[in-house]
Amino acid sequence: MRRRAAEMRGASPGSIDPLSSVRPDVLDAVGRLSVRQRAVISLAYWEDLRPVDIARRLGLSEGPVHRSLSRAEARLKRMLHE
């Protein structure tokens, strides 16, 4: 997951401030996601949390987290490749 996060940010995995190097088109696309999708994407990619940890933090079960993450990734892919 770290590699995908780095690719989304356009930076190396060892970046000190992950949000300082986020591509503007990625930020715009993430901003157009639903609140839950933004939350799971932010926690998965910028805080590098696993779905089980995201579920715990958001007070959800893992199923909805996996679904939200999958749908958010698909939507981001569509938005960024338009």
Side-chain angles (χ1 to χ4, degrees), residues 62-74:
E62 281 186 71
V65 169
H66 281 285
R67 280 189 297 281
S68 293
L69 189 54
S70 178
R71 290 175 182 162
E73 289 169 336

Side-chain angles (χ1 to χ4, degrees), residues 4 14 16 21-22 43 54-55 71 80 82:
R4 287 189 299 168
I16 294 172
S21 59
V22 178
L43 292 171
I54 295 169
R71 290 175 182 162
L80 293 171
E82 290 178 342

Side-chain angles (χ1 to χ4, degrees), residues 13-30:
S15 293
I16 294 172
D17 180 8
L19 293 178
S20 68
S21 59
V22 178
R23 295 178 5 207
D25 59 331
V26 173
L27 282 177
D28 180 59
V30 170

Side-chain angles (χ1 to χ4, degrees), residues 8 19 26-47 54 58 60 64-65 67-73 75-76 79:
M8 285 182 70
L19 293 178
V26 173
L27 282 177
D28 180 59
V30 170
R32 292 186 281 160
L33 297 173
S34 71
V35 172
R36 182 181 288 183
Q37 288 176 341
R38 278 194 313 268
V40 297
I41 285 291
S42 296
L43 292 171
Y45 288 94
W46 285 287
E47 293 195 31
I54 295 169
L58 297 179
L60 302 168
V65 169
R67 280 189 297 281
S68 293
L69 189 54
S70 178
R71 290 175 182 162
E73 289 169 336
R75 188 161 178 222
L76 285 171
M79 286 190 280

